[in-house]
Amino acid sequence: MKLKDKTFAGLLGVALCGGFVLSGLTSCKQEAVIENTPNFTQYVDPYIGTGDHGHVFLGANVPFGAVQLGPSNITQGWDWCSGYHITDSTILGFAHTHLSGTGIGDLGDIVFMPLTGDPVLKRGVPGDQSSGLYSLFRRETEKVKPGYYAVHLDRYDVDVELTATKRVGFHKYTYQPASAADPRLVIDLTAGIGWDTPMEGHLVQENDSVVSGYRFSKGWANDQRIYFSAVFSEPITSFAVYDTTSVQEGNSITARRAYGVIKFAAADEPKEVYAKVAVSPVSVAGAKANLAAELPGWNFEETIVAADKAWNEELSKVQVTSNDASVMRTFYTALYHTMIAPSEFCDVDGSYFGTDKVVHANDGFKNYTTFSLWDTYRAAHPLMTIIHPEKMPDIINTMLHIYKQQGKLPVWHLMANETDCMVGNPGIPVVADAYLKGFGGFDKDLAYEAMKTSALLDERGLDYYKELGYIPYDKQNESVAKGLEYALADWALAQVAKERDETEDYNYFLLRSNSFVYYFDSSINFVRGIDSKGNFRSEPLDPFKSVHRINDYTEGNAWQYTWLVPQNVQDLIDLFGSEEKFISKLDSLFIVQGDMGDEASPDISGLIGQYAHGNEPSHHVLYLYPYVGQPWKTADRVRETMTTLYHDAPAGLCGNEDVGQMSAWYVLSALGFYQVAPAGGVYVFGSPIVNEAVIKVGSGKTFTVKANNNSADNKYIQSVTLNGQPYSKSYIDFKDITAGGELIFDMGNTPSETFGVAPEDRPQTVQ
């Protein structure tokens, strides 16, 4: 059995916490099963997505925490964007920050590496451990569950265990007899992940148990700053500082490449050393305050239990049942992955480092970072509005303060930096969605100002868009993708303007939201590039071809982008000339085969025909059939996707996790619905894969979804009741979900000829 095909149980044997033994390492107590709360963490397999191109984080953290404490391999490259890949057997150390599922690598800050002997202060090269710090490890010694990670470093004969609070990484090192004779620890401020480059590091030994400092770096985010303070359970007998590999005098250093080497007292038996490492985006003093507030004691097992409890409390917001154990593992791991980020980016007192490079005192909200909005506006944020309503004011306030500090809503925001990664205005749908769903706790006038200002800038092709009504390919690469993304954001803004009775703005942005018509070539029924004179490209269109970052599409081709009109499906249908032609083309998407070319983006993955589930612009496409009265085709394709492109193995994601989006699609689809329009809360029905789900929707209310007679064959919705009353629509509104109640699907093995077919029962385009 190949490694990538092994399940969680196969990888860990009996090593899973929650009642099993962690062979030779700390045992997780039965207390991890929370009183009166089912143990949902038992279903989470953190290895899912660590293989293939999932790029997920593996390590110890708590929901939405600032710390993601885990191993970093020495290997660099696209499949190591999180610092870890299941195929690797090297560890250079344990970093306190990691991204999860991104297509670009960054972070990997503040690396701790326990070892013995005189270290070689380099990353090292594969195949020669003596060339650097790294150690080989064996997968069978690796243990992982939410909030806990453990491994044995073979080179140094040290057991490492990790757990965390929101702002503190808690380490336990057990130096075995050979290594206990010379126990050491390296603090590495040079190592990072992917694009990360160190700019300045500082270390200082404050006393015999405290080392503090900071790390400034640039990469994907060009001005990253993180401060830390580490407290050790064992007295430091020696502390040496190095600039690259040269030892420096004294007990402190400030250098671009800084290392600290700690020695502990020797022992002739196994020696345990604990380290608590608190981080802060503000200052060393802030890190110390975070440590005092979150982890004043030294009880390691108690901290593991607390992390497990934190995960169980969040996972319990959606309590599902299924007869299929793999569905349970896939579902709860997906839900777990949606809660790694956005991550808190503030101290316990609320102070944070702003995009304006100023430290802000508590502004009355909790500041967050890691907004992969081009991905997450599609499903991760709509899911958050259902199960995390208490977080929405802080999320939106974070985005509005980013607007005040940089002059626009975030595009792809990381560690107080705007990366401007990807295309469109993806912050607008997120803010508009919260606005239209009635969330409070933020300034509605400021929110409208932020959306409107962001939509009227002259950057990233918006100047051409405002002047011509579209973005021409002779002025901008990826012109079609940019224009379609701007259009859907404009629609979301128009709906807010409508609610505010801003009639002039409503008419203007609604008109812009229909700009997709410029790109649609009715002679071939594809969207394609148009020049500044209004002419389509003269050469014949190859709808399969994709040239990464060069042609008219972003990580896609004409087959995939023709459907990116989630805001106005009806007018897209009309462009095809009839529902029949639209259906025929949509059917073809899942069948056609063609060569995307050698220069296609690797992100175009998870293919069913030319439908690419591994990349986000396709995620709504499966849910278009109900708009033309054929919901059973959505059921077919949704079930196919959930059962063939997601599974409970390291290669269980067919594309980058993208900070929760891939998993959020699965969570919503498993429940039986998905938000197609970019804002407002119309969730279109598909085919629930779980038998029952009890969803906590805030204010003590629950919304229960049941799928009677559900099975692999019985995948088609026959009829629906909502709160005991017959319900004929093939969609449900956000307000009906969050009101609480019960939605019951009756499932069958043949498509229903009546459910969702009538025009009045189909999802409607809102203008």
Side-chain angles (χ1 to χ4, degrees):
M1 184 165 57
K2 294 180 180 178
L3 181 60
K4 71 175 184 178
D5 297 324
K6 292 183 180 180
T7 64
F8 186 36
L11 279 167
L12 297 189
V14 293
L16 181 65
C17 291
F20 296 92
V21 177
L22 282 173
S23 171
L25 298 171
T26 299
S27 299
C28 291
K29 297 180 179 179
Q30 288 288 349
E31 294 170 289
V33 181
I34 312 306
E35 185 178 0
N36 299 324
T37 301
N39 182 10
F40 296 106
T41 56
Q42 68 180 304
Y43 302 115
V44 175
D45 175 358
Y47 282 111
I48 294 175
T50 60
D52 202 23
H53 306 308
H55 299 184
V56 301
F57 161 70
L58 186 85
N61 67 328
V62 295
F64 308 103
V67 164
Q68 305 88 35
L69 175 58
S72 292
N73 304 140
I74 66 166
T75 313
Q76 300 269 40
W78 192 58
D79 279 331
W80 281 262
C81 286
S82 73
Y84 180 98
H85 196 268
I86 194 69
T87 60
D88 208 321
S89 58
T90 65
I91 292 176
L92 69 86
F94 303 92
H96 289 78
T97 62
H98 290 84
L99 294 170
S100 184
T102 57
I104 298 173
D106 205 339
L107 305 187
D109 297 291
I110 311 172
V111 173
F112 275 42
M113 186 61 166
L115 42 70
T116 186
D118 291 328
V120 176
L121 299 179
K122 297 179 181 179
R123 191 180 192 95
V125 296
D128 181 8
Q129 289 186 91
S130 65
S131 64
L133 286 172
Y134 79 89
S135 171
L136 296 176
F137 73 98
R138 288 162 290 125
R139 192 76 53 200
E140 59 265 28
T141 73
E142 197 175 47
K143 314 292 186 283
V144 60
K145 60 161 284 184
Y148 177 81
Y149 175 87
V151 72
H152 180 77
L153 301 176
D154 289 349
R155 177 183 179 185
Y156 301 116
D157 197 20
V158 179
D159 290 332
V160 177
E161 298 178 72
L162 309 172
T163 188
T165 67
K166 284 189 175 181
R167 297 169 180 83
V168 184
F170 200 177
H171 306 236
K172 178 185 177 182
Y173 310 131
T174 304
Y175 297 86
Q176 297 302 332
S179 57
D182 187 17
R184 304 191 190 194
L185 173 73
V186 170
I187 302 177
D188 181 354
L189 300 188
T190 72
I193 296 169
W195 292 6
D196 177 89
T197 299
M199 299 305 293
E200 182 175 299
H202 175 71
L203 290 168
V204 60
Q205 180 186 6
E206 298 187 11
N207 54 47
D208 69 353
S209 63
V210 177
V211 175
S212 300
Y214 60 77
R215 183 176 191 267
F216 299 165
S217 61
K218 70 175 184 178
W220 191 3
N222 279 325
D223 184 5
Q224 301 172 38
R225 308 180 192 184
I226 186 167
Y227 300 83
F228 76 95
S229 185
V231 182
F232 299 94
S233 63
E234 182 81 6
I236 298 169
T237 60
S238 170
F239 181 70
V241 292
Y242 292 77
D243 180 351
T244 308
T245 57
S246 300
V247 66
Q248 305 294 305
E249 293 184 2
N251 65 348
S252 68
I253 187 173
T254 301
R256 182 167 183 175
R257 297 184 178 276
Y259 295 88
V261 179
I262 294 171
K263 289 185 181 180
F264 301 108
D268 55 8
E269 59 184 9
K271 180 184 185 70
E272 293 182 353
V273 176
Y274 296 85
K276 298 186 295 185
V277 185
V279 301
S280 166
V282 173
S283 65
V284 168
K288 291 179 178 180
N290 294 339
L291 178 60
E294 292 188 358
L295 195 59
W298 288 95
N299 193 319
F300 191 76
E301 288 198 7
E302 191 175 84
T303 308
I304 297 171
V305 171
D308 187 89
K309 179 179 179 181
W311 278 112
N312 263 303
E313 288 176 348
E314 292 294 341
L315 295 171
S316 72
K317 290 180 175 180
V318 189
Q319 302 185 20
V320 305
T321 58
S322 171
N323 298 328
D324 188 336
S326 67
V327 168
M328 295 294 287
R329 287 191 291 269
T330 303
F331 182 89
Y332 278 105
T333 305
L335 191 58
Y336 163 81
H337 280 146
T338 69
M339 295 187 282
I340 292 175
S343 53
E344 293 186 19
F345 191 63
C346 58
D347 287 343
V348 290
D349 66 358
S351 59
Y352 68 96
F353 185 62
T355 308
D356 54 1
K357 310 308 173 188
V358 172
V359 173
H360 295 261
N362 190 337
D363 285 338
F365 73 101
K366 186 178 293 181
N367 192 59
Y368 283 84
T369 190
T370 317
F371 289 104
S372 181
L373 295 169
W374 183 81
D375 307 292
T376 57
Y377 83 79
R378 306 171 200 267
H381 284 280
L383 173 64
M384 183 174 280
T385 62
I386 296 174
I387 66 173
H388 302 301
E390 76 285 354
K391 297 187 186 303
M392 292 309 299
D394 288 332
I395 295 292
I396 302 304
N397 274 311
T398 296
M399 296 176 70
L400 297 184
H401 280 75
I402 290 171
Y403 158 70
K404 289 197 294 184
Q405 292 161 16
Q406 70 177 22
K408 66 181 180 183
L409 287 171
V411 179
W412 210 123
H413 219 261
L414 178 61
M415 304 288 279
N417 289 258
E418 181 55 74
T419 71
D420 276 325
C421 192
M422 309 311 292
V423 299
N425 259 327
I428 291 177
V430 174
V431 176
D433 196 37
Y435 194 116
L436 295 169
K437 287 175 176 175
F439 285 98
F442 61 91
D443 186 331
K444 298 294 183 67
D445 292 336
L446 179 62
Y448 185 67
E449 175 194 317
M451 288 186 283
K452 183 176 176 180
T453 299
S454 300
L456 293 175
L457 296 173
D458 288 328
E459 63 172 29
R460 299 182 301 122
L462 278 167
D463 47 351
Y464 299 112
Y465 185 65
K466 290 190 296 182
E467 176 188 355
L468 300 172
Y470 61 91
I471 298 177
Y473 73 78
D474 54 333
K475 302 296 184 182
Q476 291 267 313
N477 289 342
E478 303 178 306
S479 60
V480 173
K482 290 176 180 176
L484 295 178
E485 291 284 357
Y486 283 136
L488 64 85
D490 284 341
W491 175 88
L493 175 51
Q495 302 313 306
V496 176
K498 182 179 181 181
E499 184 164 306
R500 293 171 59 90
D501 293 324
E502 302 276 1
T503 304
E504 184 177 351
D505 287 351
Y506 167 73
N507 290 331
Y508 173 72
F509 288 111
L510 187 66
L511 179 64
R512 286 200 344 183
S513 76
N514 291 323
S515 61
F516 60 88
V517 300
Y518 286 104
Y519 303 108
F520 192 87
D521 186 343
S522 59
S523 68
I524 55 174
N525 286 343
F526 284 109
V527 293
R528 61 185 307 198
I530 186 171
D531 68 19
S532 52
K533 297 184 183 300
N535 302 309
F536 288 117
R537 287 185 180 270
S538 58
E539 62 269 25
L541 175 70
D542 179 352
F544 296 98
K545 189 173 180 61
S546 174
V547 182
H548 187 51
R549 305 196 71 178
I550 297 298
N551 69 351
D552 297 331
Y553 314 98
T554 299
E555 299 176 359
N557 61 21
W559 268 110
Q560 291 140 19
Y561 267 89
T562 293
W563 316 98
L564 190 57
V565 191
Q567 76 277 17
N568 193 344
V569 179
Q570 186 56 56
D571 278 9
L572 178 61
I573 295 168
D574 292 343
L575 287 175
F576 280 90
S578 67
E579 285 190 356
E580 291 72 23
K581 291 180 180 179
F582 176 87
I583 292 168
S584 177
K585 190 79 168 188
L586 187 54
D587 287 344
S588 298
L589 173 69
F590 301 98
I591 300 170
V592 294
Q593 301 292 326
D595 184 3
M596 291 186 290
D598 294 337
E599 298 173 282
S601 169
D603 297 276
I604 309 173
S605 59
L607 291 172
I608 303 174
Q610 282 297 293
Y611 172 76
H613 191 74
N615 212 24
E616 282 66 26
S618 292
H619 277 187
H620 70 290
V621 177
L622 299 173
Y623 287 89
L624 294 180
Y625 282 112
Y627 288 82
V628 289
Q630 294 190 345
W632 60 88
K633 289 185 178 178
T634 285
D636 279 329
R637 294 303 181 185
V638 165
R639 281 293 183 102
E640 179 182 5
T641 301
M642 285 192 285
T643 55
T644 65
L645 299 179
Y646 293 86
H647 51 98
D648 59 336
L653 291 174
C654 66
N656 301 163
E657 168 63 18
D658 283 313
V659 195
Q661 170 60 27
M662 283 286 290
S663 289
W665 185 95
Y666 182 90
V667 170
L668 287 171
S669 295
L671 299 175
F673 43 75
Y674 186 85
Q675 180 171 297
V676 173
V682 175
Y683 292 79
V684 179
F685 292 151
S687 178
I689 201 170
V690 299
N691 297 336
E692 183 174 349
V694 179
I695 308 166
K696 297 177 183 178
V697 293
S699 303
K701 295 179 291 187
T702 61
F703 184 71
T704 300
V705 180
K706 293 182 179 180
N708 294 333
N709 305 312
N710 197 26
S711 69
D713 292 331
N714 293 346
K715 59 186 175 182
Y716 303 107
I717 299 171
Q718 305 296 302
S719 62
V720 178
T721 60
L722 178 62
N723 299 327
Q725 299 300 313
Y727 189 85
S728 61
K729 296 180 176 64
S730 57
Y731 62 92
I732 188 170
D733 288 325
F734 174 78
K735 65 179 185 297
D736 292 322
I737 296 173
T738 55
E742 185 177 62
L743 179 72
I744 298 178
F745 297 107
D746 284 316
M747 310 298 291
N749 60 10
T750 58
S752 170
E753 296 181 359
T754 58
F755 176 75
V757 174
E760 63 271 19
D761 292 331
R762 305 175 187 179
Q764 305 296 314
T765 293
V766 177
Q767 295 291 347

